[in-house]
Amino acid sequence: MTYLLKKDKYPLFILMLNLFIALLGQGMVIPILPDYLKLFNAAGTAAGYLVAAFGAAQFFFSPIGGRLSDKYGRKIMILSGLFFTVISDFVFAISHTLTLLYIARFIGGIGLGIMVPSVLAYVADITTKDTRAQGMGYISAAMNLGMVLGPGIGGMVAQLGIRVPYFLASGLGLVATLLTLLLPETLPLEQRSKGRSSSGPQISMGKQLVQSFHAPYFRYLLLILVMTFGLVNYETVYSLFVEQKYGFTSKNISVLITLGAAIGIVTQVCVIDKVIKRYGEHRLIVFSLLMTSAALLLMLLKVNFAYLLAVSAIFFAFNSLLRPTVNTLLANAAGSDQQGFVSGLNTTYTSMGNIIGPVMAGNLFDWHINLPFIVGAIILFGTIFLTKKENTAYQNEG
């Protein structure tokens, strides 16, 4: 079995801990948001705009963060992004007007927008082609674990006061920021100097997106968008779907989501490296898309709790294999001087999925509770045909 080099384990551990803390803080605030908004005489509409503000900021600043990462280094951008999340959570905790809440969430979106591309580029820097999938899997697992544990911890901490989870999230973010000071920089000084001295006007985000359509790695960016859409589409209406179809309580739903996600995390850490080495990235992507689309359709069958848990576990497990695998292909396709830029596009396409998914899922669910899962399955299955040509080329090269 091939492991990450020993010298790379410590930085990777710090990155995993940082992302775990950052996403834990984000997850902590989710379950108490409806009650928190009551302090401002606001409800669902405000919550939707708050989510949109966060996603929009991440969407616009991810390409910027990726470019700056190539110019000034990974470490400074990770530090800056974490510090923005600290400010965001603190302002959210002390806010007494709805306007400040919007500003706080926008700042938080900026933070993750400039941090995540730099983290992905950092992992690409410290891993080889053979160990990259394993490194990406660890990072993705740390993010998922933070999001899974966050809501439960936030709900418990809220018993001490409705604002306490936000103060705690800010404090945890500060700890992550301080830990980042221990990280070594991975981008050589000459590459940073080359990036800063490059002449010519900066390409706008719109032009970057248009150019990405013709890039050799566009199919991977499209996969990022589709699988993010599929996951968010599922998560947005899953609780409502289970409640209406099975009559389950919030406790049942929490167990379903937590256990299903936990299985996905274990899959990422323990299985992905072995599976990729045996079958290759492209075959794994095709099979994972097939299984996730099938799992969405199987959820439409009403059986019992054990059946739904098994199907949810299948969805989470194969969805968890998709992201680090595609991230690995993206990192391999990018040159050493474009890791930050391509990672920024990665996060931009993720943000697009995070914006489109909830909006579409909510509207489809209002029409019929089965529609989000049917449409999601069709889109995921259709993506298999987008990978077919690339998969064939890949096999011919082998």
Side-chain angles (χ1 to χ4, degrees):
M1 181 182 295
T2 303
Y3 292 93
L4 295 174
L5 299 175
K6 288 185 178 180
K7 67 178 182 179
D8 295 332
K9 286 183 178 180
Y10 176 73
L12 186 65
F13 173 75
I14 295 295
L15 289 176
M16 289 173 62
L17 188 59
N18 284 354
L19 281 177
F20 170 73
I21 291 175
L23 272 297
L24 182 73
Q26 295 299 320
M28 283 172 55
V29 305
I30 292 174
I32 59 173
L33 185 59
D35 289 334
Y36 191 63
L37 288 176
K38 291 178 182 177
L39 300 176
F40 303 85
N41 296 318
T45 301
Y49 283 129
L50 286 172
V51 173
F54 186 90
Q58 192 175 7
F59 173 78
F60 286 114
F61 281 87
S62 293
I64 298 174
R67 286 201 306 266
L68 293 179
S69 174
D70 288 333
K71 286 187 176 183
Y72 300 102
R74 320 304 189 199
K75 181 177 178 178
I76 185 63
M77 298 312 300
I78 296 173
L79 275 169
S80 302
L82 284 168
F83 189 64
F84 272 114
T85 64
V86 172
I87 296 175
S88 170
D89 291 327
F90 183 75
V91 172
F92 209 90
I94 64 172
S95 294
H96 291 282
T97 66
L98 203 55
T99 301
L100 276 178
L101 294 185
Y102 292 134
I103 294 174
R105 291 301 289 169
F106 193 82
I107 293 173
I110 294 174
L112 279 188
I114 64 178
M115 177 180 69
V116 173
S118 301
V119 169
L120 295 176
Y122 195 110
V123 174
D125 291 341
I126 66 174
T127 54
T128 66
K129 191 172 183 179
D130 291 333
T131 62
R132 192 157 294 149
Q134 189 180 21
M136 293 294 182
Y138 286 155
I139 290 297
S140 184
M143 296 174 68
N144 288 342
L145 185 61
M147 287 302 295
V148 169
L149 296 181
I153 295 176
M156 291 186 292
V157 175
Q159 305 303 313
L160 303 175
I162 194 67
R163 295 180 185 267
V164 173
Y166 300 98
F167 282 116
L168 180 58
S170 180
L172 289 174
L174 184 59
V175 171
T177 304
L178 295 175
L179 287 173
T180 305
L181 294 172
L182 304 175
L183 283 177
E185 177 56 58
T186 58
L187 189 66
L189 181 60
E190 57 270 20
Q191 288 193 28
R192 283 177 271 162
S193 301
K194 180 181 177 181
R196 290 195 295 268
S197 62
S198 60
S199 58
Q202 293 291 340
I203 303 175
S204 67
M205 187 186 68
K207 289 184 177 179
Q208 285 183 46
L209 288 175
V210 172
Q211 288 182 1
S212 72
F213 299 160
H214 307 287
Y217 45 76
F218 172 66
R219 66 180 65 249
Y220 306 140
L221 293 172
L222 189 60
L223 280 171
I224 292 286
L225 170 62
V226 171
M227 66 188 182
T228 301
F229 164 84
L231 181 60
V232 175
N233 181 76
Y234 162 85
E235 291 179 333
T236 300
V237 298
Y238 183 75
S239 296
L240 295 172
F241 174 82
V242 172
E243 181 184 31
Q244 290 190 22
K245 194 149 192 165
Y246 286 84
F248 287 168
T249 65
S250 58
K251 182 178 180 180
N252 297 135
I253 296 170
S254 176
V255 170
L256 279 170
I257 295 176
T258 302
L259 287 180
I263 291 172
I265 292 168
V266 172
T267 302
Q268 282 182 323
V269 174
C270 301
V271 176
I272 186 169
D273 193 47
K274 297 177 182 178
V275 174
I276 286 180
K277 282 179 170 56
R278 181 163 184 173
Y279 299 105
E281 287 91 346
H282 290 81
R283 286 182 180 176
L284 180 58
I285 289 172
V286 170
F287 189 65
S288 296
L289 287 169
L290 179 63
M291 292 303 293
T292 51
S293 59
L296 287 178
L297 293 178
L298 289 173
M299 287 179 192
L300 304 181
L301 301 176
K302 183 179 178 180
V303 183
N304 54 32
F305 181 88
Y307 171 83
L308 193 58
L309 175 59
V311 174
S312 299
I314 291 172
F315 179 85
F316 272 112
F318 284 97
N319 192 278
S320 71
L321 292 175
L322 273 172
R323 181 169 295 278
T325 306
V326 179
N327 285 346
T328 300
L329 290 174
L330 264 176
N332 291 339
S336 60
D337 58 341
Q338 281 197 319
Q339 288 295 338
F341 173 75
V342 174
S343 296
L345 285 175
N346 182 339
T347 311
T348 297
Y349 276 78
T350 299
S351 302
M352 290 167 62
N354 284 330
I355 294 171
I356 298 171
V359 174
M360 182 176 292
N363 282 283
L364 290 174
F365 186 84
D366 287 341
W367 289 338
H368 194 282
I369 63 172
N370 290 340
L371 273 179
F373 298 93
I374 295 173
V375 173
I378 292 173
I379 293 176
L380 287 171
F381 184 78
T383 309
I384 294 175
F385 298 98
L386 293 177
T387 66
K388 186 175 181 181
K389 183 179 180 180
E390 179 68 21
N391 189 29
T392 302
Y394 175 80
Q395 291 175 344
N396 290 339
E397 287 173 8

